[in-house]
Amino acid sequence: MTPILLQPPAEEPVPLDEAKAFLRLDDTAEDGLLAALVTSARLTVEAVSGLALVSQTWRFVLGAWPGAGVLRLPMAPVDAVLSVHGRDAGGAPLALPDGIVAPAATVERDALLFGRLAASPAAVEVDVRLGYGGADDVPGPLRQAVRLLTAHWFENRGDAPMAGKPPLPPDVVALLAPWRRIRL
């Protein structure tokens, strides 16, 4: 399975003005740096947790139709299946019935259900919207992890050697621990 980002989030889970207030910054001199740090912090929180925080569109390319009928995605939560495209062995497009792939109704919201087909396509592309929604819909502990990691990076700009230090601050690790998905 190959994931491809089609549409990144339209907003960050922590807006720039909120990050500035958290850091007690009044001027605009470092707004560009701070915005980049917020984005980097979101990407790190998403990578560590396996969760897409704010709505974003991804394509998952599969080499075959899932035989078991269920496909667990490397990211969650699945908000909606936007489109499904099949291809035959020669690469020509195949028409697939509407609703043939749907989000699984699981607590983790990390799987897709594939219906049965008379003839399975040789390749499948599934476009899904992942994430909790807008910035205000992201759970508080995940937003706090983004704020804390942004602040940590803003205050520690690589001046001190990293040898022997953990890659993430302990408070960020503690906030993310209950949210981390178990990957099989």
Side-chain angles (χ1 to χ4, degrees):
M1 169 177 16
T2 303
I4 301 168
L5 179 63
L6 298 178
Q7 182 178 354
E11 63 181 334
E12 293 296 341
V14 177
L16 182 61
D17 60 336
E18 185 178 323
K20 287 175 70 169
F22 189 76
L23 286 165
R24 297 184 181 122
L25 294 176
D26 293 326
D27 62 26
T28 59
E30 297 191 280
D31 282 4
L33 170 65
L34 191 54
L37 291 175
V38 168
T39 299
S40 296
R42 173 190 46 88
L43 289 167
T44 300
V45 166
E46 288 177 338
V48 170
S49 66
L51 299 170
L53 301 185
V54 185
S55 288
Q56 47 199 275
T57 304
W58 286 81
R59 173 171 291 155
F60 294 94
V61 180
L62 312 172
W65 194 259
V70 177
L71 177 69
R72 187 161 182 215
L73 298 176
M75 302 155 63
V78 176
D79 181 39
V81 174
L82 303 175
S83 66
V84 181
H85 304 284
R87 299 205 177 272
D88 66 15
L94 290 175
L96 298 175
D98 288 339
I100 193 71
V101 178
T106 62
V107 173
E108 298 87 9
R109 293 175 46 199
D110 67 348
L112 299 176
L113 298 175
F114 285 71
R116 294 194 182 272
L117 293 173
S120 295
V124 183
E125 296 175 351
V126 182
D127 295 352
V128 298
R129 185 173 52 239
L130 299 171
Y132 290 99
D136 292 338
D137 300 316
V138 177
L142 297 173
R143 292 185 66 208
Q144 181 67 0
V146 171
R147 280 191 290 267
L148 289 171
L149 191 52
T150 300
H152 174 76
W153 287 340
F154 186 83
E155 294 167 0
N156 300 281
R157 299 185 187 192
D159 300 335
M162 289 299 294
K165 292 185 180 181
L168 293 176
D171 48 354
V172 173
V173 172
L175 281 168
L176 294 179
W179 295 91
R180 287 184 72 165
R181 297 178 52 236
I182 298 173
R183 293 180 180 91
L184 300 175

